[in-house]
Amino acid sequence: MKIAVSAEGNTLNSMMDLRFGRAPSFFIIDQETGDTEVLGNEAAFATGGAGIATAQMIVDKGVSTVITGNVGPNAMKVLKAGDVTIYQGRHVPVQENIEYFEKGLLTKIESTVPAHFGMGRQGQR
């Protein structure tokens, strides 16, 4: 199973980014092999469609679980169509969110935030 965590930086000590589509990077952890990959999110600074592009990138990587903060309605549709389960992470380092997930302490996200929720919210927590 592959897990993706939205991140503000490129180390496991980076804080999880609360924005899915506008997160600068994602950690992809393969729980079977232990491999970790950091993906830069080219869609983070797009003028539109960031959530959809980010969701498609995650689906294309074969991810089955996402840990993030907020997911917009269009990104949610793409993730659900790709059979990806989404969990509400916490604004703590990526590594801590992975540990919370493994202990069953994160809640599934079933609903979304309004469209364009993450626009212009850089730096706001």
Side-chain angles (χ1 to χ4, degrees), residues 6-17:
S6 57
E8 294 178 0
N10 59 7
T11 71
L12 288 171
N13 289 324
S14 300
M15 297 298 278
M16 184 201 79
D17 199 308

Side-chain angles (χ1 to χ4, degrees), residues 71 76 80 84-88 107-113:
V71 180
M76 181 70 77
K80 294 281 185 182
V84 176
T85 306
I86 306 137
Y87 287 85
Q88 181 75 50
T107 305
K108 283 185 185 180
I109 298 174
E110 298 295 338
S111 61
T112 63
V113 295

Side-chain angles (χ1 to χ4, degrees), residues 12 63 79 100 116:
L12 288 171
V63 169
L79 292 171
Y100 290 146
H116 307 289

Side-chain angles (χ1 to χ4, degrees), residues 35-95:
D35 292 340
T36 301
E37 177 182 6
V38 181
L39 292 177
N41 183 10
E42 294 179 16
F45 301 104
T47 56
I52 294 169
T54 302
Q56 192 60 58
M57 175 185 72
I58 294 299
V59 169
D60 290 347
K61 280 292 189 176
V63 169
S64 59
T65 300
V66 167
I67 301 170
T68 191
N70 300 304
V71 180
N74 295 328
M76 181 70 77
K77 288 176 189 173
V78 173
L79 292 171
K80 294 281 185 182
D83 203 27
V84 176
T85 306
I86 306 137
Y87 287 85
Q88 181 75 50
R90 301 177 186 175
H91 194 237
V92 297
V94 169
Q95 183 63 48

